[in-house]
Amino acid sequence: MSTEVQGYIDQGSEPDSTWEIARLSVQKHLQIPPTLPRVVKTGWEGLTSQDDFLKLVGGARVNAGCLLSAAQIMNDGRKPNFGDVVNALNTLGMGYASVVMAVNTLTRRFLKSKPAPLWKSVLKEMMSSIEIGYILGSKVSGFGSAAGALMGFAEHAGLLMLCMDDPKAFKEWRFQSQRAGRLGRKVEVGFFGCEPYQVAALTIQALGFGVESAVGTALGVGRLSPEHLAKDDRINCWRAAVVWIDSLKRGRDFPAQSSMRDFFKEITPSKDSATKNLTLGVLYTEVAKVKNNGSDWTWHLPLPSYDATQEEWKLN
């Protein structure tokens, strides 16, 4: 696995052995079809036509049925026919389809590890973050709903890996972080030998989404502000999205840091109390529905519902 992410972030710093621990964890547990990263990269970066992308999807060992579910096309659980996959891709677009396939594949890998009973709440929290990210991205031209969904997934991608790596440590980490908020580096390294942001970034990179989104994941999830990346908007757009999603999830109107709060012009809060940012108001309304009710998206699951998945996969 490439060390480009570490090189971007730790430029000129002392060697950090925790990155190697994170890399080994991802390498051990990210047992996915080897064709998936190529399919994801091709679709995510728009490197081919839709017809050729469909051929890649058809030739890869991925669950194309999740695309139908995400596009709200009825499917009886059997291998979807070509026409339905075409319709799903027309609805989703190649970028978002890449996110859906990556999330579905990693979720299947997570479930195969026979996780503890907390698996439902972990996945439900992940899907709420993904939907909030999708909503956020849909309000920002030049970023988009697919990118927002990816950044909603980013932190949770790392958490799924850590749960597979050491379920007991993950359970205690989760309990402490829910009770006390963000934990310090020393505590997190004590639990996992590395920090969650490192695993998240390397997972995003390994899935095929590229170095820039992976570095942005690390900066956002880890709350890092390396001086040499302070003005790199290619990376900071990903970082800003992660920070915005986290703020919205926590019931805050916007990030506290001004550079992140004002990064996306369409949703920058008005500085004039007499006027309102209408786009931001719509964002709050749509996000509130997800926060109050949870996401009802189930395209990440191997079966149409949590109960059906639990029964068929013999999960606790």
Side-chain angles (χ1 to χ4, degrees), residues 7-260:
Y8 265 92
I9 296 170
D10 293 345
Q11 188 179 86
S13 302
E14 292 294 322
D16 184 351
S17 62
T18 60
W19 278 104
E20 178 63 11
I21 294 172
R23 186 188 68 81
L24 291 173
S25 177
V26 175
Q27 189 176 63
K28 177 181 178 181
H29 296 288
L30 195 64
Q31 297 175 14
I32 58 175
T35 50
L36 179 71
R38 182 190 173 201
V39 173
V40 166
K41 179 179 175 64
T42 301
W44 180 251
E45 297 183 1
L47 299 176
T48 189
S49 67
Q50 180 172 300
D51 287 345
D52 286 340
F53 182 66
L54 279 164
K55 293 177 184 176
L56 283 176
V57 173
R61 291 189 293 117
V62 296
N63 172 34
C66 65
L67 301 179
L68 274 63
S69 179
Q72 298 184 331
I73 297 172
M74 292 295 292
N75 182 32
D76 59 8
R78 292 180 293 184
K79 185 177 180 179
N81 63 55
F82 182 76
D84 282 343
V85 176
V86 171
N87 290 336
L89 193 57
N90 285 333
T91 299
L92 302 175
M94 289 192 293
Y96 186 44
S98 299
V99 176
V100 169
M101 286 188 291
V103 174
N104 180 271
T105 303
L106 186 54
T107 299
R108 284 170 171 262
R109 177 70 193 95
F110 173 66
L111 294 175
K112 283 181 180 178
S113 73
K114 300 298 180 184
L118 54 71
W119 67 271
K120 281 187 183 180
S121 59
V122 168
L123 292 182
K124 287 180 179 180
E125 289 168 10
M126 178 182 81
M127 294 311 293
S128 289
S129 293
I130 290 172
E131 187 168 354
I132 288 172
Y134 184 96
I135 294 168
L136 173 79
S138 72
K139 309 303 178 200
V140 180
S141 61
F143 193 66
S145 53
L150 177 63
M151 289 299 97
F153 170 56
E155 179 175 14
H156 297 275
L159 297 182
L160 295 188
M161 303 298 288
L162 290 171
C163 188
M164 286 189 278
D165 194 55
D166 191 336
K168 185 176 179 180
F170 176 81
K171 184 177 180 180
E172 180 60 26
W173 170 87
R174 189 166 181 266
F175 171 76
Q176 289 195 24
S177 61
Q178 286 180 333
R179 183 182 61 180
R182 298 183 65 85
L183 304 179
R185 172 182 169 85
K186 184 176 180 180
V187 175
E188 293 190 325
V189 172
F191 278 125
F192 307 117
C194 59
E195 294 183 80
Y197 82 81
Q198 296 169 312
V199 181
L202 293 177
T203 301
I204 291 298
Q205 183 185 14
L207 286 169
F209 290 104
V211 175
E212 288 179 4
S213 58
V215 174
T217 292
L219 299 187
V221 176
R223 297 298 188 270
L224 308 177
S225 301
E227 187 174 343
H228 64 282
L229 293 176
K231 295 182 180 180
D232 192 334
D233 285 352
R234 299 171 306 160
I235 288 172
N236 281 318
C237 66
W238 303 105
R239 176 189 175 203
V242 172
V243 175
W244 260 96
I245 292 165
D246 184 69
S247 295
L248 293 169
K249 281 166 48 183
R250 295 176 185 273
R252 299 168 184 160
D253 286 345
F254 42 74
Q257 188 178 354
S258 60
S259 61
M260 297 292 97

